[in-house]
Amino acid sequence: MALTGLDIFKLLPRTNCGECGVPTCMAFAMKLAAKSADLAACPYASEAAKQKIGAASKPPIRLVTIGPPGGEVALGNETVLFRHEKTFVHPTAFAVAFSDAEPLREACHRIAEVREYCLERVGEQLRLDLVLADNVSEAVEPFVETVRALAGGSGRPVILRSENPDALAAGLAMLEGQRPLIHAATPENAREVATLALAHKAPLVARAPTLDALAELTKRLAGMGVQDLVLDLPAENPAAVLQHNTVIRKMALKGGCEPLGYPIINFVSGCDLPGLVADASTLLLKYASILVMDTLQYQALLPLMMLRQNIYTDPQKPIQVEPKVYAIGEPGPASPVLVTTNFSLTYFLVTGEIENSGVSAHLGVVECEGMSVLTAWAAGKFSGAKVAAFLKASGLEQQVRTRRLIIPGYVAQISGELEEGLPGWEVVVGPQEASDLGPFLKRFAA
Ligand code: SF4
């Protein structure tokens, strides 16, 4: 049961020494209740307090890692149903499935594609996370060969999927120390597969036909000592999967149902690419921790990668770039000077448009706590005075001959204050949209 700030306060020393980084024990208690602080920051908390607060602040969705230390994929630790309530913690891991019935010569090419896949967007590299070896053949030898090829060629942690315990044992022996995810323990084979998971210190998928059976199974597995579990509740269609995921996550977060407090694995497949992307997007939003796909097609991965990046960006911490003057192209003393905010998306959009225009320029990026132009202006972070101070401190005035400064069209209203703060400069109001920057710059340079 979650403790309130007041409950936690009563367990703290109440000396207000401030060593935890906040001035009072009450303020620290409120931060603990909001799960935005760690009790370890208070050096004077008693053992009893640590036990009580620790148990109450345990995330309702267990943190599970797959893969070896240093190369692991982390899942779970979620505390909210909706991103805007706080943030989602660990992004959905994308896994690509490989059947051991597929000739290895053909699979090798796709395995290399998994390793090489990289989409760069707003300064981040977006990649595939996991590979799944699927024991379609039901035989041990081809499964082991596929596992070997995946482990050696993909550079990604592996999921071992088989209904044959001998095949699972052989795959686990090959990946000793690699912490592959085992798929799956069922009500029928729970003891045998749990023994394998414990022997190899590997996380385990629990798979059962109904919600009740799944909760019973995870209780049983936890009782045997397997703590790192992932849930698999099969369904006939994507709508039912969505319903299952929502019920599981709601029961874990709002109902305090510990047997369902684990990450979820979902599977999407099919030849209908738009349908597959729609299903995968739905499950990415609600609440797949692992999404296994059988495609590597660019048209499917691109929207899913972008959606995942958008959803799993912490809304409280916008992606920012370093505030400074950036040289776009090879600008000289006569090249145009522009300013914008340090919101990463704005920076990359503006940079892209300047590069595409072919006009080299100096781009001043002002510290605005990662806010977009209009938001920063409304918050007083992108005022005329602040931009003028930034430009003076940057030393750009000594590097350029030009005395014309291009500002975003959305903040035309700061031009008067800016000219007052920058004597000798003329402020030019640029376009509102980054997409109009190219033609504007070409005319400006001409
Ligand atoms: Fe209170 Fe501990 Fe913080 Fe000191 S370090 S103010 S005792 S919570």
Side-chain angles (χ1 to χ4, degrees):
M1 182 62 79
L3 296 178
T4 65
L6 200 56
D7 296 333
I8 296 172
F9 173 67
K10 287 176 188 164
L11 295 166
L12 292 175
R14 290 182 264 170
T15 56
N16 300 333
C17 69
E19 286 185 43
C20 53
V22 288
T24 63
C25 294
M26 179 52 108
F28 187 60
M30 299 313 283
K31 288 188 90 165
L32 285 174
K35 295 188 172 44
S36 60
D38 187 347
L39 182 60
C42 170
Y44 308 111
S46 67
E47 282 308 313
K50 280 180 193 166
Q51 274 187 9
K52 279 192 188 165
I53 298 171
S57 60
K58 203 172 75 173
I61 308 293
R62 185 178 173 84
L63 173 70
V64 176
T65 61
I66 306 169
E72 70 268 51
V73 172
L75 316 166
N77 246 4
E78 306 300 335
T79 56
V80 293
L81 276 176
F82 305 103
R83 189 185 83 138
H84 62 260
E85 290 177 317
K86 189 176 176 196
T87 183
F88 289 157
V89 182
H90 289 117
T92 304
F94 290 146
V96 181
F98 290 83
S99 160
D100 68 353
E102 180 183 359
L104 262 186
R105 219 177 304 120
E106 289 167 29
C108 282
H109 177 67
R110 293 175 63 234
I111 293 170
E113 273 186 70
V114 170
R115 187 184 61 233
E116 301 301 330
Y117 182 90
C118 179
L119 173 68
E120 282 210 38
R121 184 170 180 252
V122 289
E124 290 188 352
Q125 295 193 330
L126 313 178
R127 296 178 185 276
L128 293 159
D129 308 284
L130 298 163
V131 284
L132 180 143
D134 200 353
N135 187 205
V136 175
S137 72
E138 298 180 12
V140 174
E141 195 51 35
F143 186 61
V144 169
E145 287 308 313
T146 301
V147 172
R148 180 180 286 122
L150 287 173
S154 72
R156 300 289 179 272
V158 181
I159 306 171
L160 302 171
R161 185 191 205 194
S162 177
E163 292 178 10
N164 178 350
D166 292 338
L168 287 177
L172 285 163
M174 171 163 293
L175 300 179
E176 199 58 61
Q178 301 288 304
R179 274 183 67 80
L181 175 64
I182 305 170
H183 188 288
T186 62
E188 293 75 32
N189 69 9
R191 181 155 298 281
E192 194 173 6
V193 179
T195 305
L196 282 175
L198 289 170
H200 295 274
K201 297 187 175 66
L204 176 62
V205 175
R207 179 180 171 93
T210 66
L211 203 58
D212 288 344
L214 188 60
E216 274 308 309
L217 179 59
T218 60
K219 267 195 263 179
R220 224 176 117 199
L221 292 167
M224 290 180 214
V226 187
Q227 304 298 333
D228 290 338
L229 295 171
V230 174
L231 307 177
D232 183 7
L233 183 56
E236 284 178 1
N237 54 60
V241 180
L242 170 64
Q243 198 176 18
H244 286 167
N245 285 6
T246 308
V247 170
I248 287 173
R249 188 56 58 92
K250 247 186 173 170
M251 286 180 73
L253 292 186
K254 300 293 179 196
C257 179
E258 278 192 39
L260 295 177
Y262 298 99
I264 301 170
I265 186 169
N266 292 143
F267 295 80
V268 285
S269 61
C271 308
D272 166 26
L273 211 57
L276 183 144
V277 172
D279 294 346
S281 302
T282 307
L283 300 177
L284 171 61
L285 294 168
K286 297 205 177 281
Y287 290 101
S289 308
I290 303 173
L291 207 44
V292 184
M293 299 174 275
D294 55 6
T295 182
L296 273 163
Q297 288 196 61
Y298 179 79
Q299 302 93 311
L301 293 182
L302 177 68
L304 293 175
M305 288 283 174
M306 290 172 65
L307 179 63
R308 179 176 70 170
Q309 188 188 31
N310 291 345
I311 295 300
Y312 284 90
T313 299
D314 186 344
Q316 299 165 105
K317 294 184 205 151
I319 315 173
Q320 306 180 24
V321 294
E322 187 189 348
K324 63 176 188 177
V325 177
Y326 290 81
I328 315 294
E330 295 177 351
S335 298
V337 179
L338 301 94
V339 282
T340 188
T341 74
N342 70 328
F343 178 40
S344 190
L345 193 57
T346 302
Y347 167 79
F348 282 101
L349 280 172
V350 170
T351 306
E353 294 300 334
I354 298 174
E355 282 171 351
N356 290 342
S357 76
V359 178
S360 294
H362 305 275
L363 177 62
V365 172
V366 183
E367 162 61 52
C368 294
E369 297 175 15
M371 294 179 192
S372 62
V373 170
L374 261 184
T375 313
W377 169 75
K381 312 270 180 208
F382 199 65
S383 63
K386 188 145 182 223
V387 175
F390 165 81
L391 214 74
K392 282 181 181 163
S394 72
L396 195 66
E397 282 186 299
Q398 287 75 51
Q399 293 171 32
V400 296
R401 282 199 308 273
T402 178
R403 285 294 181 264
R404 299 180 82 199
L405 176 64
I406 303 167
I407 64 171
Y410 278 119
V411 289
Q413 53 274 55
I414 71 169
S415 50
E417 188 190 11
L418 189 50
E419 284 185 350
E420 275 176 31
L422 283 177
W425 283 76
E426 178 195 349
V427 174
V428 179
V429 177
Q432 292 190 341
E433 303 299 336
S435 54
D436 296 326
L437 203 48
F440 173 86
L441 274 179
K442 283 180 191 159
R443 284 197 306 276
F444 186 84

